Amino acid sequence: KNLVLYVLSHNDYREGGIKKLNKLLYFIDFYFYRDHERLISGIDYAKADMGPVVDQYKSVFGEL
């Protein structure tokens, strides 16, 4: 939740949507995993047509 709130509060995210949020979260996790061999967010990702998305993102983002 803190990672999502951080991304949403960042100035570069002003005109983003759910697609951009999913991509940013995936890339943050990807690069953190590359360096530390664990995910920073602890969430699972699902395959989608336009790239990976947070698995069950509606319920995860709905909690916020």
Side-chain angles (χ1 to χ4, degrees):
K1 292 179 183 178
N2 288 331
L3 181 59
V4 173
L5 294 175
Y6 174 77
V7 170
L8 292 175
S9 69
H10 201 273
N11 288 337
D12 291 338
Y13 186 76
R14 285 179 284 190
E15 298 192 23
I18 195 72
K19 182 176 163 183
K20 184 174 183 179
L21 178 60
N22 274 299
K23 287 187 180 288
L24 287 172
L25 292 174
Y26 174 75
F27 283 118
I28 290 168
D29 264 344
F30 174 80
Y31 288 113
F32 189 83
Y33 184 84
R34 180 190 66 185
D35 297 336
H36 303 283
E37 296 184 6
R38 66 182 177 91
L39 298 176
I40 194 170
S41 67
I43 54 179
D44 295 323
Y45 292 91
K47 181 181 177 184
D49 293 336
M50 300 297 285
V53 296
V54 173
D55 194 24
Q56 300 177 357
Y57 69 90
K58 289 182 181 181
S59 64
V60 172
F61 297 154
E63 293 177 17
L64 300 173

